């Protein structure tokens, strides 16, 4: 309890130093997180990926948070290794470099050499980091109400929701077994792609707090001068990186969720994807929706785009369809006026997320993760090869794989299912018409429409109902006239009662009147 009180005082002191009572902005939030220490830096980095929770301007600023933190001393590192390996590290490793090659809030990385002379890297989790982070988050959650009040953000940022989301993400990232599984899955997905690889995991030495991987020496993708000196074609690197990323999303359904430059290296002609602690899964259902959405944007098909948007998530309130159509039309219009090669996928994804937030459509966290990952990917490509356009590559990849994805058996099955469904529905039409007539007769029909041309819709509905009523009158006249023909009613003409003849002629006149009216209306619509 004393420790908790002391930490709370530290948090409040930092907040006071940054004068949060005078309001908060993205830059100030970054400063607060950095002053609170490594745990909060990590949280800020994860928060930058959640533009469905935080406004976009906050996400952009948080993405700039520093990644390097004060390293653990080597004695601490040695002690952790001894504990996790259950033996002296020098029994397994011929050499361990004392200086880390990377330090982050959750772990730090050291180069090492195994007894068989294979070069490896050791990702070593900081001691008690999970407990420290949990205590910090518990305190922060208790202070969430105060933060909303003190920062003046009101409902702009739901700190409690942010903290819950971040804790779940952090727990997953602190489990190195999960990261090892991600690496193995990624390697398997890319084993047929000769120009892509990732580190190999040494499972016999790895666990939840220690990850031993093969060492890959190379050049970071944004180190342009080094790449040029080594004779690499940066445009080819950009193209192939983008193509492989599209494969991860649209074919594998498993993608690198944090493709910043530090996680992409070039080694011996291969693109190496590092650090799969954050990875996303995209189901076949969502992949199909994404393809529909991109196709709809390129075809300027607002109706299909609206259906795709609604399929991405669940509406948390009643949808204003007219407003949604207008917003989608504006968004598509914005990109249709651009040259295809200059479209910015990152900007498009941000606009789409803003639109979903505006219309209160809740989306799955993996969709948000994908959107942020795409923005990061495009930013990374611009640093390496500005000429590479993600939209172009994404649509080209979709087109190239469309034929391969066609399954004749599945298509026939779907066609037969549609035919069966249509046949079944057609058999229900007479019963549905009967029900409609009954509720119309009883005055129970009520139609709700949302349209900017409501008056025109109502006039068309009235005309349609008038035609239906006249058609029913014709049917009644002809049916009753036919029944009278079977009776002994007189006088008759050519064997038919006069009244039957009158009924048939009246019905025929009404039918001719309806046909002439329909022809005139069609002529007006064409004009």
């Amino acid at each position: 309890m004393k420790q908790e009180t002391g930490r709370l005082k530290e948090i409040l002191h930092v907040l006071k130093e940054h004068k949060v009572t005078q309001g908060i902005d993205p830059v100030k939030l970054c400063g607060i997180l950095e002053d609170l220490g490594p745990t909060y830096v990590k949280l800020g980095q994860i928060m930058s990926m959640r533009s469905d929770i935080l406004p976009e301007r906050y996400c952009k600023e948080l993405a700039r948070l520093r990644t390097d933190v004060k390293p653990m001393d080597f004695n601490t590192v040695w002690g952790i290794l001894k504990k996790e390996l259950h033996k002296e590290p020098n029994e397994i490793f011929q050499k361990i470099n004392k200086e880390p090659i990377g330090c982050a809030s959750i772990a730090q990385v050291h180069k090492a050499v195994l007894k068989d002379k294979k070069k490896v890297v050791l990702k070593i989790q900081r001691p008690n980091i999970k407990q420290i982070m949990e205590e910090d988050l518990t305190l922060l959650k208790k202070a969430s109400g105060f933060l909303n009040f003190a920062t003046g953000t009101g409902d702009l940022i739901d700190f409690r929701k942010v903290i819950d989301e971040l804790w779940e993400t952090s727990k997953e990232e602190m489990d190195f077994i999960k990261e090892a599984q991600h690496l193995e899955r990624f390697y398997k997905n890319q084993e047929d792609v000769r120009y892509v690889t990732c580190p190999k995991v040494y499972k016999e030495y790895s666990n939840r707090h220690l990850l031993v991987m093969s060492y890959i020496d190379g050049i970071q993708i944004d180190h342009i001068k080094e790449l040029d000196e080594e004779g690499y074609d940066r445009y080819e690197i950009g193209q192939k990186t983008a193509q492989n990323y599209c494969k991860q999303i649209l074919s594998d359904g498993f993608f690198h969720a944090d493709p910043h430059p530090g996680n992409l290296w070039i080694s011996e002609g291969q693109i190496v994807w590092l650090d799969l602690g954050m990875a996303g899964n995209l189901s076949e259902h969502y992949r199909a929706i994404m393809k529909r959405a991109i196709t709809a944007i390129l075809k300027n098909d607002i109706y299909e785009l609206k259906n795709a948007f609604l399929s991405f998530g669940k509406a948390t309130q009643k949808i204003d369809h007219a407003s949604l159509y207008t917003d989608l039309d504006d968004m598509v219009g914005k990109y249709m006026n651009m040259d295809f090669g200059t479209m910015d996928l990152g900007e498009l994804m941000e606009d789409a997320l803003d639109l979903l937030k505006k219309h209160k459509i809740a989306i799955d966290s993996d969709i948000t993760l994908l959107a942020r990952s795409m923005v990061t990917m495009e930013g990374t490509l611009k640093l390496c090869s500005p000429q590479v356009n993600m939209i172009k590559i994404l649509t080209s990849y979709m087109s190239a794989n469309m034929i391969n994805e066609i399954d004749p058996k599945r298509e026939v099955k779907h066609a037969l299912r549609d035919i069966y469904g249509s046949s079944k529905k057609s058999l229900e039409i007479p019963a549905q018409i009967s029900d409609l007539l009954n509720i119309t007769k009883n005055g129970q029909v009520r139609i709700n429409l949302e349209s900017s041309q409501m008056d025109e819709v109502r006039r068309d509905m009235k005309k349609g109902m008038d035609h239906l009523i006249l058609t029913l009158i014709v049917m009644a006249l002809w049916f009753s006239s036919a029944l009278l023909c079977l009776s002994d009613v007189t006088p008759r003409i050519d064997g038919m009662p006069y009244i039957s003849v009158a009924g048939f002629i009246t019905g025929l006149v009404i039918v001719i009147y309806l046909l002439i009216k329909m022809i005139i209306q069609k002529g007006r619509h064409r004009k």
Side-chain angles (χ1 to χ4, degrees), residues 322-332 355 358-359:
S323 175
L324 180 56
Y325 275 127
T326 301
D327 289 341
L328 286 170
D329 195 29
D330 290 344
M331 186 180 81
V332 171
L355 200 149
K358 177 183 175 182
H359 291 275

Side-chain angles (χ1 to χ4, degrees), residues 421-477:
S422 300
S423 303
K424 192 174 179 182
K425 286 178 182 177
S426 65
L427 293 173
E428 295 171 358
I429 289 174
Q432 290 172 351
I433 291 175
S434 175
D435 291 341
L436 177 62
L437 291 174
N438 283 330
I439 63 174
T440 303
K441 181 183 73 176
N442 296 330
Q444 296 171 342
V445 175
R446 182 177 178 182
I447 301 174
N448 293 317
L449 296 173
E450 291 182 35
S451 172
S452 58
Q453 299 175 318
M454 184 64 73
D455 292 336
E456 187 179 342
V457 171
R458 284 173 179 159
R459 284 196 298 271
D460 290 343
M461 288 290 292
K462 186 177 182 303
K463 287 175 186 175
M465 191 59 72
D466 290 344
H467 290 174
L468 177 61
I469 291 169
L470 287 173
T471 303
L472 293 173
I473 290 171
V474 170
M475 290 173 65
L477 281 169

Side-chain angles (χ1 to χ4, degrees), residues 219-484:
I219 304 169
Q220 198 166 297
I221 197 169
D222 63 335
H223 290 185
I224 295 169
K225 187 179 178 182
E226 293 176 51
L227 290 172
D228 291 343
E229 286 174 354
E230 290 294 321
Y232 283 109
D233 182 340
R234 286 190 287 112
Y235 180 74
E236 183 185 6
I237 289 171
Q239 284 279 110
K240 288 186 173 178
T241 302
Q243 286 168 4
N244 183 250
Y245 183 70
C246 291
K247 175 184 179 293
Q248 293 173 36
I249 296 168
L250 298 174
S251 297
D252 304 335
F254 178 74
F255 60 92
H256 196 301
D258 192 18
H260 64 75
N263 286 338
L264 277 161
W265 288 59
I266 308 302
S267 176
E268 297 179 1
Q270 286 186 303
I271 300 161
V272 186
W273 295 76
L274 304 174
D275 191 1
L276 270 97
M278 287 182 71
N281 289 284
L282 204 62
S283 67
E284 189 175 340
H285 170 69
Y286 279 131
R287 276 180 273 162
I289 295 171
M290 186 177 172
K291 291 174 188 176
R292 278 170 51 199
I294 293 169
T295 304
I297 290 170
L298 296 174
K299 288 183 177 179
N300 197 15
D301 187 342
I302 305 301
Y303 300 101
E304 178 62 15
L305 182 59
K306 177 212 166 192
N307 292 333
F309 259 67
L310 293 176
S311 299
F312 265 128
K314 183 179 180 182
T316 57
Q317 65 179 33
K318 186 179 178 183
I319 294 288
D320 182 345
H321 293 277
S323 175
L324 180 56
Y325 275 127
T326 301
D327 289 341
L328 286 170
D329 195 29
D330 290 344
M331 186 180 81
V332 171
K334 172 183 174 182
Y335 292 97
M336 286 300 103
N337 293 329
M338 294 181 183
D339 177 65
F340 186 74
T342 62
M343 281 190 191
D344 188 318
L345 180 63
E347 188 180 348
L348 174 60
M349 294 304 295
E350 287 172 11
D351 287 347
L353 284 172
D354 287 342
L355 200 149
L356 287 165
K357 280 193 284 188
K358 177 183 175 182
H359 291 275
K360 308 294 183 193
I361 300 172
I363 53 176
D364 190 273
S365 59
D366 273 325
I367 299 298
T368 308
L369 199 62
L370 172 63
R372 295 304 310 166
S373 175
M374 282 182 159
V375 173
T376 306
M377 183 76 260
E378 188 160 61
T380 298
L381 291 173
K382 282 179 181 176
L383 294 172
C384 171
S385 181
Q387 313 96 307
V388 173
N389 182 272
M390 272 293 292
I391 286 271
K392 261 187 176 180
I393 292 171
L394 192 61
T395 50
S396 297
Y397 186 89
M398 282 171 55
S399 302
N401 285 273
M402 201 170 285
I403 296 174
N404 296 332
E405 290 176 357
I406 295 174
D407 183 345
K409 288 184 179 178
R410 185 177 62 191
E411 295 301 322
V412 169
K413 186 190 282 187
H414 284 178
L416 291 173
R417 189 192 304 156
D418 290 342
I419 292 168
Y420 170 74
S422 300
S423 303
K424 192 174 179 182
K425 286 178 182 177
S426 65
L427 293 173
E428 295 171 358
I429 289 174
Q432 290 172 351
I433 291 175
S434 175
D435 291 341
L436 177 62
L437 291 174
N438 283 330
I439 63 174
T440 303
K441 181 183 73 176
N442 296 330
Q444 296 171 342
V445 175
R446 182 177 178 182
I447 301 174
N448 293 317
L449 296 173
E450 291 182 35
S451 172
S452 58
Q453 299 175 318
M454 184 64 73
D455 292 336
E456 187 179 342
V457 171
R458 284 173 179 159
R459 284 196 298 271
D460 290 343
M461 288 290 292
K462 186 177 182 303
K463 287 175 186 175
M465 191 59 72
D466 290 344
H467 290 174
L468 177 61
I469 291 169
L470 287 173
T471 303
L472 293 173
I473 290 171
V474 170
M475 290 173 65
L477 281 169
W478 285 353
F479 184 71
S480 57
S481 297
L483 286 176
L484 286 171

Side-chain angles (χ1 to χ4, degrees), residues 200-215:
K200 174 193 170 185
V201 177
Y202 288 83
K203 288 202 276 187
E204 63 270 35
Y205 308 126
S206 301
N207 55 41
R208 291 184 185 277
H209 308 118
L210 173 65
L211 190 58
V212 181
M213 301 168 285
S214 57
Y215 173 74

Side-chain angles (χ1 to χ4, degrees), residues 59-248:
C59 292
K60 283 183 176 178
E61 192 63 37
L62 290 170
R64 298 188 180 100
L65 277 171
R66 60 186 174 84
T67 54
D68 289 336
V69 297
K70 185 180 177 181
M72 296 182 282
D73 65 79
F74 192 67
N75 288 334
T76 303
V77 169
W78 190 270
I80 295 170
L81 288 172
K82 185 176 178 180
K83 178 185 174 185
E84 299 300 332
L85 294 168
H86 304 292
K87 59 177 70 176
E88 289 294 331
N90 54 18
E91 292 180 35
I92 298 171
F93 302 104
Q94 188 181 98
K95 179 185 177 184
I96 301 173
N97 286 20
K98 290 188 176 183
E99 292 298 318
I101 57 174
C103 299
S105 52
I106 287 177
Q108 72 183 43
V109 180
H110 288 257
K111 281 175 66 175
V113 180
L114 291 168
K115 288 289 187 181
D116 61 5
K117 297 185 179 179
K118 287 179 181 175
K119 293 181 180 179
V120 294
V121 292
L122 314 178
K123 187 174 182 179
I124 305 152
Q125 192 168 124
R126 291 178 178 272
N128 305 316
I129 187 65
K130 188 173 182 180
Q131 182 185 345
I132 293 168
M133 187 175 281
E134 188 171 16
E135 288 172 358
D136 277 351
L137 290 177
T138 301
L139 287 170
L140 197 56
K141 199 168 182 179
K142 287 179 181 178
S144 59
F146 165 75
L147 288 171
N148 279 115
F149 172 75
T151 58
T153 55
D155 294 330
L156 178 66
I157 304 174
D158 183 350
F159 281 106
R160 186 172 286 270
K161 184 179 179 183
V162 169
I163 293 163
D164 286 339
E165 290 276 349
L166 300 181
W167 177 232
E168 290 305 312
T169 307
S170 299
K171 280 194 294 185
E172 189 167 309
E173 200 171 349
M174 284 185 278
D175 184 355
F176 289 173
I177 289 178
K178 188 150 283 188
E179 183 174 346
Q181 291 169 347
H182 288 169
L183 283 163
E184 289 180 334
R185 182 178 175 185
F186 187 90
Y187 184 85
K188 187 176 181 182
N189 287 344
Q190 311 305 328
E191 61 185 348
D192 293 331
V193 184
R194 294 177 61 186
Y195 61 84
V196 171
T197 190
C198 69
K200 174 193 170 185
V201 177
Y202 288 83
K203 288 202 276 187
E204 63 270 35
Y205 308 126
S206 301
N207 55 41
R208 291 184 185 277
H209 308 118
L210 173 65
L211 190 58
V212 181
M213 301 168 285
S214 57
Y215 173 74
I216 296 175
D217 192 14
I219 304 169
Q220 198 166 297
I221 197 169
D222 63 335
H223 290 185
I224 295 169
K225 187 179 178 182
E226 293 176 51
L227 290 172
D228 291 343
E229 286 174 354
E230 290 294 321
Y232 283 109
D233 182 340
R234 286 190 287 112
Y235 180 74
E236 183 185 6
I237 289 171
Q239 284 279 110
K240 288 186 173 178
T241 302
Q243 286 168 4
N244 183 250
Y245 183 70
C246 291
K247 175 184 179 293
Q248 293 173 36

